[in-house]
Amino acid sequence: AVVSTQSGHYGREESLFSELISLLTMPGNIIVRRNIARLLRNLSFDTKTHNIFLQFLPQIVYPLVGGEEVEDEDMEKLPLDLQYLPEDKCRESDLQTRILLSDTLFQIGGSFSVREKFREENYYVLLKNYDQWEEDMDARERIQNVIYLIVQEDGEVDLRKEGELPQGLEKEDQVVHVERDNQNVEILKENGGS
């Protein structure tokens, strides 16, 4: 079953992503699914694509999700496409595809907007269930890296939201790199009297 998207209008790039991502759940063809996952992973290295990926997070995570029971309180926060899946919902059977999807989630998780969406929509619960299910140690390590992105204290997030520099920065000339609206911004904090 292909997971539908909640948004109906796409530009050219979004339409292409939608078509590619629909192939992630193509039954019976491991080679196609693996190659689509590899392509998505490669596209995720370009930070300009992260906003497009953001629109398709449920479809990217769907192959990693099983039919485990999720508490109602946690379920309500999940995207609609990932709520109330049947108990017999199977995860992607191909290990390499699961690893590639985990790598993609990790790469796009480097963007603040994606980490924020991971947290707001409670992806932690589904990815933690996948981590507990996964037997391959390499695959587990990769999804644990994604989980770490979700649960870690995000000091840069505070920097962006509050507009303040970290303690001690005002004492020295330093350049701070922050991501604001998907652009890297350098802030030079100068010493008061020099």
Side-chain angles (χ1 to χ4, degrees), residues 57-58 61 65 69-80 82-83 114-130 146-147 150-151:
L57 278 179
V61 171
V65 177
E69 189 172 323
V70 176
E71 297 290 325
D72 286 339
E73 183 180 315
D74 290 328
M75 185 72 73
E76 291 172 9
K77 296 176 188 173
L78 292 171
L80 290 176
L82 298 174
Q83 290 183 7
V114 176
R115 289 191 307 273
E116 190 172 53
K117 184 69 101 177
F118 280 157
R119 293 171 184 140
E120 286 173 0
E121 296 188 350
N122 210 17
Y123 282 92
Y124 168 81
V125 172
L126 299 176
L127 298 179
K128 190 64 177 166
N129 284 342
Y130 165 56
V146 178
I147 291 168
I150 297 171
V151 300

Side-chain angles (χ1 to χ4, degrees), residues 63-164:
L64 302 177
V65 177
E68 292 90 358
E69 189 172 323
V70 176
E71 297 290 325
D72 286 339
E73 183 180 315
D74 290 328
M75 185 72 73
E76 291 172 9
K77 296 176 188 173
L78 292 171
L80 290 176
D81 292 337
L82 298 174
Q83 290 183 7
Y84 302 105
L85 298 175
E87 289 179 19
D88 62 348
K89 167 34 180 110
C90 295
R91 287 184 173 84
E92 169 59 52
S93 61
D94 181 54
L95 173 64
Q96 288 305 309
T97 301
R98 294 193 309 268
I99 287 173
L100 289 163
L101 291 173
S102 295
D103 288 349
T104 300
L105 293 172
F106 181 74
Q107 286 300 319
I108 65 176
S111 292
F112 170 70
S113 57
V114 176
R115 289 191 307 273
E116 190 172 53
K117 184 69 101 177
F118 280 157
R119 293 171 184 140
E120 286 173 0
E121 296 188 350
N122 210 17
Y123 282 92
Y124 168 81
V125 172
L126 299 176
L127 298 179
K128 190 64 177 166
N129 284 342
Y130 165 56
D131 174 46
Q132 292 171 350
W133 173 88
E134 182 62 67
E135 294 177 357
D136 183 82
M137 292 310 292
D138 185 38
R140 288 193 73 190
E141 183 178 323
R142 290 168 193 247
I143 201 62
Q144 287 169 0
N145 289 336
V146 178
I147 291 168
Y148 178 74
L149 282 176
I150 297 171
V151 300
Q152 76 176 345
E153 290 286 327
D154 205 349
E156 290 182 7
V157 173
D158 295 337
L159 216 165
R160 279 190 296 278
K161 287 190 174 184
E162 302 297 327
E164 297 176 5

Side-chain angles (χ1 to χ4, degrees), residues 30-54:
I30 290 174
I31 301 301
V32 169
R33 293 193 313 264
R34 185 183 300 165
N35 286 330
I36 293 298
R38 183 173 287 114
L39 177 61
L40 293 174
R41 195 262 331 257
N42 290 345
L43 288 169
S44 73
F45 290 114
D46 181 358
T47 59
K48 292 179 224 143
T49 65
H50 291 188
N51 279 336
I52 297 172
F53 274 104
L54 192 59

